[in-house]
């Protein structure tokens, strides 16, 4: 199929892009990498009157270290994140997850701002934004505001942006950790995840001092498991730890089923992935930040 007719504009500043969205009175849509939007246009599942192409806005593409966080411009391509030495050293869980994001051709075009805004519950970057406790910097007609990742994802494929707002930057705090893991199962490598988990721990001499846990593919949005994180704090590290962690994760999540996998299978997968992730996180050597 072909898209319904639309007007195309290609601004070179964020302010001009916001202005174009405002002028479209709710009938505008932003185009980033086009990897999710173009199929929706072609199937006429969305029919914007105006398409606002962000690709000419150079200021939206960057990866920068700033104090204790890494700032990523919304138009930064998945492949740039995957190949960035800065991401590998400061956000290693993200670096490990990026090669699971779709296939190479899609990673060459797809952007982090597009992935977060599309809000697919089985997509890696939305889950990573929760995992790291990221903040999204958003620009609209009345200026810029910051949205915490945990407030951004409202439902499957639904975010909290107003129609005239554009994500311009995402800030990822650097975690103090000395063990981490990212585990995922998809039907084929590069497909959307059936289930996935990200874990990081700060290990003391014999206990877990701090932990981060997030999962995806099992609910309508990605989930950060703060209760599980709390239960891990201060817990003794021993051989039973991966099994206990698996139980904690599966008892705090009730997986969804769909045409790709039943709820029971996803729940089982999550338990297996959690066990494997904790084994890896506890086996990691040294500070791998
Ligand atoms: C076959 C296939 C497999 C895939 N597998 C995976 C996978 O395994 N994991 C995964 O994470 N992703 C996967 N994807 C999705 C891919 O990562 C997309 O790149 C991503 O979802 C959308 O990014 P984009 O830059 O292409 O956004 P676009 O398609 O251009 O836009 C997507 C949506 O976000 C909005 N938008 C874009 N940028 C902004 C912005 N800065 N501010 C506000 N709104 C914005 C658009 O208006 C649109 O509604 C897959 C895609 C395909 C086609």
């Amino acid at each position: 199929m072909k898209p319904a007719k639309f007007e195309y504009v290609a601004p070179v500043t964020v302010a001009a892009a916001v202005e174009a969205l405002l002028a479209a009175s709710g009938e505008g849509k932003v185009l980033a990498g086009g990897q999710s939007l173009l199929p929706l246009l072609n199937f006429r599942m969305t029919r914007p009157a105006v398409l606002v192409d962000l690709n000419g806005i150079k200021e939206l593409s960057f990866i920068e270290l700033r104090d204790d966080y890494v700032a990523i411009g919304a138009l930064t391509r998945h492949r740039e994140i995957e190949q960035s030495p800065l991401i590998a050293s400061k956000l290693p869980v993200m670096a490990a997850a990026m090669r699971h994001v779709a296939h190479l051709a899609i990673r060459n075009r797809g952007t982090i701002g597009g992935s977060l805004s599309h809000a697919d519950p089985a997509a890696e970057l939305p889950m990573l934004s929760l995992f790291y406790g990221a903040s999204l910097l958003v620009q609209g007609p009345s200026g810029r505001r910051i949205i915490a990742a945990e407030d951004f994802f409202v439902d499957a494929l639904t975010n909290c942006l107003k129609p005239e707002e554009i994500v311009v930057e995402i800030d990822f705090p650097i975690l103090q950790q000395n063990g981490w893991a990212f585990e995922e199962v998809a039907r084929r490598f590069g497909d959307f995840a059936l289930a996935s988990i990200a874990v990081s721990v700060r290990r003391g001499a014999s206990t877990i001092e701090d932990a981060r846990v997030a999962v995806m593919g099992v609910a309508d949005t990605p989930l950060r498991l703060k209760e599980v994180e709390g239960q891990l704090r201060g817990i003794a590290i021993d051989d039973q730890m991966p099994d206990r962690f698996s139980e904690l994760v599966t008892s705090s999540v009730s997986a969804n089923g769909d045409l790709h996998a039943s709820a029971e299978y996803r729940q089982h997968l999550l338990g297996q992935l959690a066990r494997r992730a904790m084994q890896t996180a506890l086996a990691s050597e040294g500070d791998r930040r």
Side-chain angles (χ1 to χ4, degrees), residues 178-180 201 203 276-286 288:
N178 52 15
W180 57 266
V201 291
R203 288 170 297 168
R276 199 186 298 167
M278 186 52 82
Q279 280 164 348
T280 305
L282 294 179
S284 318
E285 281 182 14
R288 291 163 63 175

Side-chain angles (χ1 to χ4, degrees), residues 21 28-40 46 51-52 54-55 60 74-78 100-103 106-107 109-120 122-126 138 152 159 161-162 165-170 184 186 188-193 216:
L21 287 176
K29 226 159 199 347
V30 157
L31 171 70
Q35 299 304 297
S36 299
L37 183 57
L38 289 187
L40 294 174
T46 181
L51 204 58
V52 182
L54 299 183
N55 286 276
L60 286 181
L75 204 66
T76 307
R77 311 282 168 190
H78 301 329
H100 293 268
V101 177
H103 310 280
I106 293 165
R107 294 202 294 277
R109 289 301 301 167
T111 67
I112 183 168
S115 178
L116 297 186
S117 303
H118 190 58
D120 193 299
E124 287 77 5
L125 283 162
V138 163
F152 188 74
N159 63 47
L161 288 177
K162 296 178 188 141
E165 286 183 320
I166 294 172
V167 178
V168 294
E169 175 184 313
I170 308 97
E184 173 170 323
R188 293 169 307 181
F189 195 83
D191 281 1
F192 280 105
M216 68 175 195

Side-chain angles (χ1 to χ4, degrees), residues 63-213:
I63 303 175
E64 287 174 13
L65 178 61
R66 295 187 197 150
D67 302 325
D68 55 355
Y69 67 95
V70 177
I72 306 181
L75 204 66
T76 307
R77 311 282 168 190
H78 301 329
R79 185 71 170 152
E80 293 171 67
I81 298 173
E82 182 185 358
Q83 295 188 318
S84 162
L86 179 62
I87 299 289
S89 75
K90 301 296 181 191
L91 307 175
V93 182
M94 180 181 291
M98 288 312 294
R99 64 195 189 94
H100 293 268
V101 177
H103 310 280
L104 188 53
I106 293 165
R107 294 202 294 277
N108 276 334
R109 289 301 301 167
T111 67
I112 183 168
S115 178
L116 297 186
S117 303
H118 190 58
D120 193 299
E124 287 77 5
L125 283 162
M127 188 254 249
L128 290 166
S129 70
L130 286 183
F131 175 76
Y132 281 104
S135 309
L136 289 84
L137 185 61
V138 163
Q139 186 163 332
S142 47
R144 292 190 167 191
R145 68 180 177 123
I146 293 171
I147 306 174
E150 63 184 356
D151 298 327
F152 188 74
F153 306 103
V154 176
D155 207 339
L157 305 178
T158 309
N159 63 47
C160 71
L161 288 177
K162 296 178 188 141
E164 308 82 20
E165 286 183 320
I166 294 172
V167 178
V168 294
E169 175 184 313
I170 308 97
D171 296 338
F172 291 88
I174 297 165
L175 300 179
Q176 302 300 315
Q177 60 189 7
N178 52 15
W180 57 266
F182 176 84
E183 294 288 345
E184 173 170 323
V185 169
R187 278 187 178 275
R188 293 169 307 181
F189 195 83
D191 281 1
F192 280 105
L194 292 180
S196 177
I197 185 165
V199 175
S200 85
V201 291
R202 194 172 73 236
R203 288 170 297 168
S206 58
T207 58
I208 299 286
E209 291 177 348
D210 205 4
R212 275 297 161 92
V213 186

